[in-house]
Amino acid sequence: MELSEHIKTANVEDAVLRQPLHPAARGTLCVTGHHLLFSDREESSPQHFLLLLRNIDAIEKRMSGSSGTITIKCKDLCVLQLDIPGMEQCLNIARSIETLSCLENVSEMYPFFYRPSDQSLKDQWGLSSTEKHYSQMTDLHDRWRVSSVNRDYSVCPTYPQAVIVPKDINDEMLVKAAKFRHGGRFPVLCYYHRKNGMVIMRSSQPLTGANRKRCREDELLLQAVIDGSDKGYIIDTRSSQQAQQARMTGGGFESKSCYSCWKRLHRQVERGKALQESLIKLVEACGNDSHNMDRWLSKLENSKWLSHVQTALSTAGLLAECVERDGHSVLVHCSEGTDSTLLISTVAQLIMDPCCRTLEGFLALLEREWVQAGHPFQKRCAHSAYSHARLQQESPVFLLLLDCVWQLLHQFPLALGFSEALLLRLATEAYASSYGTFLCNSDKERSVAILSMKTLCLFQALLRPKERRCYANPLYERTELAIWPSVHPQSLQLWRGYFLRWTQQARHLEEAQEEIRNMVILWEKMFEYVCFNFFMLS
Amino acid sequence: LSHLRASVGTLYLSATHSIFVEDNPETRKETWVLHSMVNSVEMPSNSPAGSQLILRCKDFRVLQILIPQERDCLDIHASLVRLSRPGVFKYSELYCLSFNPNVNKEEREESWSFIDLMSDYRRMGVPNNLWVMTAANSEYRVCDTYPSELFVPKSAAPTIITGSSRFRSRGRFPVLSYFHQDTLAAVCRCSQPLSGFSGRCQEDEMMLQAVMRSNPGSDFIYVVDTRPKLNAMANRAAGKGYENEDHYTNIKLQFIGIENIHVMRSSQQKIIDVGEMRSPSMTDFLWGLENSGWLKHIKAILDAGVFIARAVADEGISVLVHCSDGWDRTTQACSVASLLLDPYYRTIRGLMVLIEKDWISFGHKFSHRYAHLDGDPKEVSPVMDQFLECVWQLSEQFPCAFEFNERFLLTIHTHVYSCQYGTFLGNSQRERKELRLPERTHSVWSQLWKDRVDFRNPLFKADLSQSQRVLRPNTTPYCFKMWKGLYSHIDKSMPPCQSPADFLSAMREESQQLEEEIAALTGRPIVWEKTEVLKRRTTHLQQRHLGPDPPTSYIQPITGHGQAVALKQANQMALNKEPNLYLPTECHSKLKDHDPDDCSTCSDRESGVADLRSRSSSGGDYAKDPDWE
């Protein structure tokens, strides 16, 4: 079925668009396969407003007489209103939006059609790969190797083709270890700490089950990780009760008797449905303009979002502390190993590793730890906070990561090479994008859809000089040491730039950012000028 | 010493300070606490190691001192209790009378004339053909808590003024607080009318008419009663109350609902407790914040200011503001409104003028509210704290609109309590005159003006305040935050990890220098080419950015009691130039011998932070989750 068949009414004259922070505009509304296009009638300077249909989370229609109003709630938390004359037209448009905003088939999505004139499909796709990552870390080479045991995605469907594993463990052992781990996600290296040679590994839960199964190969693999040092830590991002319960359904945890050199720590990091509900509550609280302070604070508390931020940051802090300060290797996992596992390991890397704090470094980190490591973006970001649809696998884990990174940026304004604007952009793109980067759920799915040939890469696009200007942090100054975030409740703040993005308040903060950028640029120009003249004179 | 970091040392008591000197021979770090900053001294039960003293300061710091000998401890406790609380009528014991910075008489007199209120009235365009100065209150005959120089509507004859003052609580009749030149509307202030259930006063009604007529464009005025309506009605039973709309023609009465000083006092205690919680969960913290009600009160005050500013600037309607006595809530509402209306008050000097005008001259009872003397504890209330917090909340919402930074507000806060300068002493202009404060003490304003470099907000855009003269803040609850700089112990005990503001200030200064250099080099104005510039930083700038930040929690700048001492203190000022008490001292020694090119100093500092942080956050408690096998 062609997309155009979903469009009964393509054009509406004399519609009215109301968006936050703008006066209402009257003009022509146009529905295409992937966009809503609105052009206002202002003759002197016609304004166009383009909205990706994929960005629409929920719509509400209200009929009054011969016209109707559609309220559009977007995944980036923007709320728009369209007044459309003609009941039938209004219903047609609403129906088109409803169908076209949640297409299931990947190859019908907009990234496959997006062809801007200044970018080409031949441009490089992606920033990082396992091989590249490995080759950059030469210290690693005598004890670790790149294994392509997963080259046809048969060992683990959610891992990339190449992974880094201990040298002593051969591919056959990996296959066996994979069978012992949920979804085949056997322990692989994700971070090597140059200062002391310790590593972060990640995996999914072991399938010990109710009768305490063991797997020799898995034990050997972990033994090989800490080879030479006395012990390692396993950070399980579930509570110990949850881990116990998981045994009933075939999952489990590493028992002390079988993994004698590993010490297990439990920290419950929320994910899945609970996190999604938390986001919904928070957005609901932020959308409430009531002037009752008590109600706001209790709703903020009730949403638990900030508590989730706090737990995530402190668990990542714990992980970083094990590696950086205590000098031990760490294995981190939850159940599937595709959500809170990635969240914790990513934040910990930002805390410890200055290379991850540059603009390129951060994007490469996201590519390795989220895109390639198999965070199911398409499932997790299918809907955001407004949707009335029944929750399936939606969960704002990636958004929680961005919030944690924002907290770091807030506490260390000079230590990160990228700005809040980048985090906002990523938060938007993860839910609805013209680029292929966040499509699909795993490397395997992406290679089936041949994304790298048929769509453009967001990360590459963000690094173009023009874009760089607004995504780089003008105050950035590299520091080699760890940035330990404070996780005291008073130090954590609501991410106003995101959750209150469409209010006047966010505008003032943006102005301030712009002012900072201008000051830095002016200063640099003067500095250049003086140096240049000094050079000429001497 | 503090609850975060313990150190061993010697405690000295002088007539004005408690001084704690650490034994660590390398640093000999000294901590000075002004007696007048001590709010309470507690002596909890003895522990085996000795007796404890807990000092709670008025800027919400808490110091714990462990003294080996119980007798010593009792002695010190008794002395501190005495020293921190001068007797009821003993202004003479206050620190400002013994405080003697090394300046001569002329300078001191000059410091008192630094802020000139009459020139501020001239700046806003009065006297003019609508508002004139009245001599009615010279010698404080009509109202002893008002200043001697007052502006009233031109049509208000002296008989009307005296008549009206007899009908107002404490004689505080309607006078001008701020005149808005753009709309000719005015903000006026007074106290509640003594109307009871049916009382009326012709002169007072005429006074309000005069206020209305002095704004040619309008046919009514707003009367803003900043109290909750219930409180206002209750006051009627005591022969006081609010204006009856049937008696006064052309007024619109509006209640705002700011709570009274007693509610505020207990609310602040609760938010201080929230700030002192050791390691609360997010839930505890937000619950505490909600329970304290503090932000709700701040919002109410800001709402009052917004209402007045909107009436004056958008509707062009004059507003008369009052509460009960017209010196607490009225002062808050008027000064917040002025701040919103006039960009001048958002500058460093402007804020000083505003405080001098609305607070000091109009008889806000500083000595009572901030317990300068040992008086009635029911009179104490954080009225000024709330105003300063309103300014801070606004500056968070409009980062480019204020010339001053948070440090300025915190410094003012400290001096409101410290009694180091005579500026905030006494309860009215008359009392200050009788105490001959200008002859016997120093004014804080000229000192702050001297230090203004420290107080500057690098993001301030003067041209913005021209285009955006009136601030229109959003007062939805989500715009309010807890003021960490004042209430959070975590923030006070740790240096800010990274302060972009200080970095930017340094850069702005640097830019100016560069500009001068360029001018010297070329002798002509510069036109910038539009070229992409490579990122580069001078080591010079870097160093500055890395230097210890000037004090954010402010207790030290004590400039000696005489010359000999001043010299000695110069050394220690350098030591103390840091957010005091808890900072790991190694950062100084490191800074001294650091190589200008070594960019790791910054990180050294960070790692110092890290040690503390991770201990408090995630660290060291693996054992918490016992292995349950």
Side-chain angles (χ1 to χ4, degrees):
Chain A
M1 192 155 146
E2 284 287 307
L3 290 183
S4 56
E5 289 173 36
H6 296 296
I7 304 171
K8 293 265 159 42
T9 302
N11 273 297
V12 180
E13 296 288 337
D14 214 27
V16 175
L17 170 73
R18 294 171 218 277
Q19 43 178 332
L21 305 174
H22 290 277
R26 189 173 285 274
T28 310
L29 178 77
C30 181
V31 186
T32 72
H34 296 104
H35 287 99
L36 274 189
L37 174 67
F38 181 89
S39 330
D40 75 11
R41 284 225 211 89
E42 214 54 53
E43 300 219 331
S44 51
S45 59
Q47 299 278 315
H48 298 287
F49 171 80
L50 191 66
L51 179 72
L52 205 55
L53 286 171
R54 183 92 196 148
N55 190 3
I56 295 175
D57 204 23
I59 63 168
E60 283 155 24
K61 31 187 199 282
R62 210 179 54 239
M63 297 297 157
S64 60
S66 64
S67 72
T69 301
I70 304 181
T71 305
I72 298 178
K73 298 183 169 177
C74 299
K75 291 173 185 165
D76 63 5
L77 307 186
C78 185
V79 178
L80 308 165
Q81 240 184 41
L82 279 171
D83 298 343
I84 295 167
M87 188 169 349
E88 206 189 325
Q89 292 190 76
C90 182
L91 288 173
N92 283 342
I93 291 202
R95 208 168 299 128
S96 305
I97 293 176
E98 272 164 357
T99 340
L100 292 170
S101 62
C102 28
L103 297 174
E104 290 287 335
N105 187 350
V106 175
S107 61
E108 280 180 348
M109 288 182 188
Y110 185 61
F112 287 90
F113 303 89
Y114 179 58
R115 300 286 174 268
S117 56
D118 58 342
Q119 293 167 65
S120 139
L121 288 180
K122 296 198 186 80
D123 293 345
Q124 202 199 337
W125 217 94
L127 301 168
S128 182
S129 65
T130 309
E131 289 85 353
K132 199 170 159 193
H133 188 209
Y134 181 78
S135 67
Q136 281 164 351
M137 298 183 293
T138 44
D139 301 353
L140 198 71
H141 292 184
D142 32 319
R143 283 190 48 222
W144 300 83
R145 68 186 181 97
V146 173
S147 162
S148 46
V149 66
N150 198 34
R151 77 183 74 78
D152 53 0
Y153 304 106
S154 60
V155 179
C156 172
T158 56
Y159 270 167
Q161 288 168 307
V163 290
I164 303 175
V165 292
K167 228 174 197 163
D168 304 342
I169 305 299
N170 61 35
D171 284 358
E172 270 166 53
M173 294 166 88
L174 290 178
V175 174
K176 283 188 181 144
K179 293 223 174 77
F180 184 63
R181 292 276 173 179
H182 190 118
R185 295 174 70 91
F186 55 91
V188 296
L189 177 134
C190 69
Y191 174 69
Y192 177 81
H193 197 50
R194 280 184 200 79
K195 273 178 220 152
N196 56 16
M198 295 300 136
V199 298
I200 301 178
M201 309 284 293
R202 56 174 156 72
S203 70
S204 59
Q205 62 177 348
L207 301 173
T208 49
N211 42 14
R212 298 174 188 261
K213 262 191 296 183
R214 319 178 40 162
C215 170
R216 191 78 202 125
E217 288 75 15
D218 191 68
E219 288 163 26
L220 284 174
L221 198 161
L222 288 185
Q223 191 57 44
V225 170
I226 50 168
D227 178 43
S229 72
D230 56 337
K231 66 170 173 182
Y233 286 103
I234 294 172
I235 294 181
D236 192 328
T237 61
R238 302 166 294 181
S239 68
S240 38
Q241 287 83 348
Q242 285 174 325
Q244 282 279 28
Q245 281 158 10
R247 290 216 325 233
M248 299 304 123
T249 49
F253 50 89
E254 294 83 356
S255 70
K256 204 165 196 173
S257 50
C258 309
Y259 300 83
S260 53
C261 293
W262 291 84
K263 185 157 172 48
R264 211 172 56 246
L265 306 167
H266 289 274
R267 288 285 184 280
Q268 188 184 348
V269 180
E270 210 59 71
R271 65 207 153 84
K273 211 169 176 178
L275 199 57
Q276 179 72 14
E277 276 160 7
S278 166
L279 176 71
I280 292 172
K281 281 186 193 158
L282 178 64
V283 170
E284 201 266 329
C286 292
N288 190 332
D289 278 341
S290 123
H291 274 257
N292 186 324
M293 181 67 74
D294 292 349
R295 195 175 302 155
W296 156 248
L297 286 172
S298 79
K299 280 187 165 181
L300 180 63
E301 193 281 312
N302 193 250
S303 80
K304 297 279 181 239
W305 181 263
L306 285 173
S307 305
H308 298 321
V309 173
Q310 187 188 28
T311 328
L313 275 175
S314 72
T315 310
L318 173 70
L319 170 52
E321 198 177 43
C322 292
V323 175
E324 153 99 20
R325 284 163 38 122
D326 299 352
H328 293 295
S329 290
V330 179
L331 168 70
V332 52
H333 70 71
C334 50
S335 336
E336 292 93 1
T338 52
D339 295 285
S340 50
T341 306
L342 307 180
L343 171 66
I344 301 312
S345 82
T346 310
V347 178
Q349 291 183 52
L350 278 166
I351 292 174
M352 287 187 287
D353 186 5
C355 302
C356 297
R357 299 186 210 132
T358 62
L359 180 57
E360 289 89 341
F362 179 60
L363 294 178
L365 176 70
L366 290 184
E367 182 161 48
R368 276 199 314 274
E369 286 292 279
W370 289 79
V371 179
Q372 290 167 1
H375 177 67
F377 276 99
Q378 199 169 318
K379 286 183 196 156
R380 298 287 182 260
C381 301
H383 285 290
S384 174
Y386 290 124
S387 173
H388 307 299
R390 208 167 58 83
L391 287 184
Q392 289 172 324
Q393 299 223 27
E394 291 83 0
S395 180
V397 187
F398 187 64
L399 191 62
L400 184 59
L401 167 84
L402 295 176
D403 199 336
C404 290
V405 178
W406 180 82
Q407 305 286 350
L408 284 177
L409 183 62
H410 183 75
Q411 292 186 21
F412 299 92
L414 298 115
L416 301 179
F418 46 87
S419 66
E420 181 176 358
L422 179 79
L423 302 176
L424 292 173
R425 173 85 186 258
L426 289 170
T428 311
E429 298 277 349
Y431 281 92
S433 178
S434 306
Y435 295 89
T437 301
F438 293 125
L439 285 184
C440 301
N441 294 306
S442 66
D443 216 36
K444 182 182 178 184
E445 287 181 24
R446 270 182 286 272
S447 75
V448 170
I450 333 179
L451 282 187
S452 60
M453 310 289 281
K454 293 186 171 172
T455 68
L456 292 165
C457 171
L458 173 69
F459 295 148
Q460 287 290 351
L462 292 177
L463 289 174
R464 287 174 301 158
K466 195 177 73 188
E467 307 267 328
R468 212 177 248 272
R469 184 188 172 273
C470 43
Y471 297 130
N473 176 5
L475 298 174
Y476 173 59
E477 218 154 74
R478 187 182 169 108
T479 163
E480 290 303 317
L481 287 173
I483 49 171
W484 301 100
S486 159
V487 296
H488 199 280
Q490 299 169 14
S491 311
L492 300 179
Q493 302 237 317
L494 177 68
W495 185 11
R496 288 179 162 70
Y498 183 76
F499 294 106
L500 302 174
R501 194 173 180 181
W502 307 104
T503 63
Q504 194 58 41
Q505 221 211 353
R507 288 295 104 90
H508 296 305
L509 299 180
E510 272 169 34
E511 263 170 38
Q513 287 303 319
E514 190 56 34
E515 177 69 11
I516 291 177
R517 186 166 292 127
N518 290 340
M519 274 174 68
V520 175
I521 290 174
L522 177 71
W523 177 79
E524 280 169 351
K525 281 190 180 170
M526 287 208 214
F527 185 71
E528 281 284 302
Y529 190 87
V530 170
C531 286
F532 177 72
N533 277 289
F534 192 73
F535 175 73
M536 296 293 279
L537 289 173
S538 55
Chain B
L1 177 64
S2 76
H3 71 252
L4 281 172
R5 235 171 53 86
S7 49
V8 182
T10 318
L11 183 71
Y12 300 93
L13 287 190
S14 78
T16 55
H17 290 85
S18 315
I19 307 156
F20 183 84
V21 185
E22 280 178 28
D23 276 350
N24 183 350
E26 277 171 39
T27 53
R28 309 273 311 159
K29 197 163 103 67
E30 296 175 24
T31 304
W32 290 58
V33 180
L34 197 59
H35 293 325
S36 50
M37 285 306 283
V38 176
N39 188 33
S40 71
V41 191
E42 290 164 32
M43 210 166 46
S45 55
N46 293 347
S47 69
S51 315
Q52 274 188 63
L53 275 186
I54 298 179
L55 298 189
R56 290 181 186 278
C57 299
K58 291 173 182 170
D59 56 358
F60 316 128
R61 287 177 308 148
V62 180
L63 284 87
Q64 261 183 41
I65 304 168
L66 195 70
I67 297 163
Q69 296 294 324
E70 196 186 341
R71 277 256 321 261
D72 294 347
C73 184
L74 284 170
D75 280 354
I76 292 174
H77 180 254
S79 321
L80 277 177
V81 167
R82 179 69 192 85
L83 288 166
S84 64
R85 275 293 154 77
V88 183
F89 291 111
K90 290 189 183 163
Y91 276 108
S92 57
E93 284 182 19
L94 286 178
Y95 178 49
C96 57
L97 295 175
S98 55
F99 171 66
N100 184 13
N102 188 25
V103 293
N104 57 31
K105 190 162 168 275
E106 285 76 44
E107 272 179 75
R108 197 189 65 210
E109 278 164 10
E110 231 170 81
S111 83
W112 281 105
S113 53
F114 177 72
I115 298 291
D116 177 15
L117 287 187
M118 282 310 118
S119 73
D120 188 52
Y121 283 110
R122 279 196 297 280
R123 191 189 58 83
M124 54 172 120
V126 288
N128 53 26
N129 56 2
L130 302 168
W131 294 89
V132 293
M133 182 139 72
T134 172
N137 202 37
S138 62
E139 312 289 318
Y140 311 104
R141 273 176 315 212
V142 179
C143 170
D144 60 354
T145 57
Y146 265 173
S148 52
E149 289 155 328
L150 288 166
F151 288 88
V152 290
K154 197 172 187 181
S155 54
T159 51
I160 295 181
I161 294 175
T162 44
S164 163
S165 84
R166 257 179 257 120
F167 189 63
R168 293 274 168 183
S169 184
R170 315 260 175 181
R172 293 171 71 94
F173 58 94
V175 294
L176 179 77
S177 166
Y178 177 72
F179 180 71
H180 195 60
Q181 273 174 299
D182 298 354
T183 59
L184 304 182
V187 181
C188 304
R189 56 186 294 170
C190 60
S191 60
Q192 64 185 343
L194 303 173
S195 56
F197 288 101
S198 57
R200 57 189 293 182
C201 164
Q202 208 184 359
E203 287 95 339
D204 193 59
E205 287 159 25
M206 284 162 74
M207 187 72 187
L208 264 62
Q209 283 298 306
V211 169
M212 189 202 83
R213 271 200 307 279
S214 65
N215 178 6
S218 71
D219 47 14
F220 71 96
I221 62 168
Y222 284 110
V223 174
V224 171
D225 190 328
T226 55
R227 298 168 293 184
K229 189 166 184 183
L230 219 63
N231 297 19
M233 282 163 73
N235 260 303
R236 294 212 307 214
K240 299 164 184 174
Y242 54 91
E243 289 80 358
N244 186 333
E245 278 176 287
D246 298 336
H247 297 168
Y248 295 82
T249 42
N250 307 324
I251 67 163
K252 282 192 183 168
L253 198 59
Q254 173 80 29
F255 291 95
I256 299 277
I258 305 176
E259 297 288 347
N260 64 28
I261 56 169
H262 312 295
V263 175
M264 300 305 188
R265 179 176 353 120
S266 71
S267 170
Q268 191 188 37
Q269 189 49 53
K270 287 185 193 148
I271 200 171
I272 293 170
D273 294 344
V274 170
E276 276 179 23
M277 286 197 271
R278 299 266 165 113
S279 46
S281 70
M282 190 54 88
T283 305
D284 295 342
F285 172 71
L286 289 173
W287 257 87
L289 203 58
E290 182 189 336
N291 260 335
S292 76
W294 183 254
L295 291 179
K296 187 169 65 187
H297 301 315
I298 298 292
K299 175 174 151 52
I301 296 165
L302 212 51
D303 277 331
V306 169
F307 177 85
I308 299 166
R310 217 174 266 160
V312 168
D314 299 347
E315 297 179 55
I317 304 293
S318 294
V319 183
L320 177 66
V321 190
H322 71 73
C323 47
S324 301
D325 288 323
W327 50 43
D328 294 317
R329 289 170 272 199
T330 303
T331 307
Q332 291 173 329
C334 289
S335 50
V336 169
S338 303
L339 196 78
L340 296 174
L341 285 166
D342 195 334
Y344 175 69
Y345 296 130
R346 293 172 227 144
T347 62
I348 292 179
R349 190 192 270 265
L351 188 71
M352 298 178 185
V353 171
L354 183 65
I355 293 174
E356 183 76 32
K357 175 168 73 78
D358 276 346
W359 292 79
I360 299 175
S361 85
F362 276 110
H364 175 65
K365 305 202 290 175
F366 279 95
S367 280
H368 284 166
R369 294 289 178 260
Y370 312 111
H372 292 159
L373 302 170
D374 199 10
D376 181 0
K378 287 218 171 82
E379 283 282 318
V380 179
S381 185
V383 186
M384 184 81 180
D385 302 35
Q386 291 184 316
F387 167 68
L388 292 173
E389 178 158 345
C390 284
V391 181
W392 178 81
Q393 299 279 4
L394 286 171
S395 72
E396 283 289 293
Q397 203 170 129
F398 302 95
C400 302
F402 292 83
E403 191 193 8
F404 45 81
N405 56 19
E406 181 181 11
R407 208 173 286 152
F408 186 55
L409 299 173
L410 290 173
T411 308
I412 294 177
H413 179 265
T414 301
H415 283 301
V416 165
Y417 287 91
S418 75
C419 303
Q420 188 174 343
Y421 295 90
T423 310
F424 298 114
L425 229 56
N427 293 315
S428 64
Q429 198 179 59
R430 179 180 172 166
E431 213 175 307
R432 272 184 288 276
K433 249 184 206 155
E434 283 164 2
L435 285 169
R436 293 185 294 116
L437 286 179
E439 292 159 50
R440 299 160 71 196
T441 68
H442 300 261
S443 163
V444 72
W445 298 132
S446 61
Q447 185 55 44
L448 294 182
W449 184 248
K450 266 181 218 148
D451 299 337
R452 64 185 177 279
V453 183
D454 290 344
F455 301 135
R456 199 157 269 168
N457 166 18
L459 292 178
F460 175 57
K461 279 162 86 174
D463 46 336
L464 183 89
S465 60
Q466 284 310 310
S467 59
Q468 194 185 1
R469 291 185 61 82
V470 180
L471 287 189
R472 291 185 172 78
N474 183 348
T475 60
T476 320
Y478 53 62
C479 298
F480 293 81
K481 291 186 274 196
M482 176 169 168
W483 190 4
K484 286 197 297 167
L486 191 57
Y487 295 111
S488 165
H489 272 268
I490 303 304
D491 261 43
K492 278 190 197 177
S493 53
M494 273 185 259
C497 327
Q498 292 183 325
S499 157
D502 287 340
F503 176 73
L504 287 169
S505 302
M507 194 167 69
R508 177 152 271 187
E509 224 171 282
E510 186 90 355
S511 297
Q512 273 161 10
Q513 279 174 17
L514 284 173
E515 206 162 6
E516 282 162 26
E517 269 179 63
I518 293 169
L521 271 172
T522 57
R524 59 190 151 84
I526 324 127
V527 183
W528 300 116
E529 304 143 51
K530 285 202 170 168
T531 48
E532 278 297 319
V533 196
L534 288 169
K535 281 224 155 197
R536 212 179 293 167
R537 298 265 148 90
T538 53
T539 46
H540 180 42
L541 184 63
Q542 213 164 39
Q543 237 179 324
R544 259 200 248 184
H545 146 54
L546 296 171
D549 294 319
T552 42
S553 74
Y554 172 99
I555 45 162
Q556 262 60 35
I558 300 147
T559 8
H561 316 270
Q563 271 203 313
V565 190
L567 242 178
K568 200 185 106 204
Q569 285 194 340
N571 285 326
Q572 148 221 335
M573 285 276 287
L575 265 177
N576 283 337
K577 226 169 182 318
E578 61 178 276
N580 226 290
L581 303 182
Y582 320 107
L583 186 70
T585 33
E586 83 227 5
C587 87
H588 287 288
S589 35
K590 264 188 191 140
L591 268 172
K592 271 174 205 154
D593 50 37
H594 105 262
D595 177 348
D597 292 321
D598 171 18
C599 61
S600 66
T601 326
C602 170
S603 326
D604 277 335
R605 243 177 88 222
E606 274 163 27
S607 66
V609 177
D611 282 351
L612 284 168
R613 283 249 159 113
S614 43
R615 213 174 298 144
S616 68
S617 62
S618 51
D621 49 1
Y622 317 128
K624 261 190 188 169
D625 262 319
D627 241 311
W628 31 264
E629 272 182 327

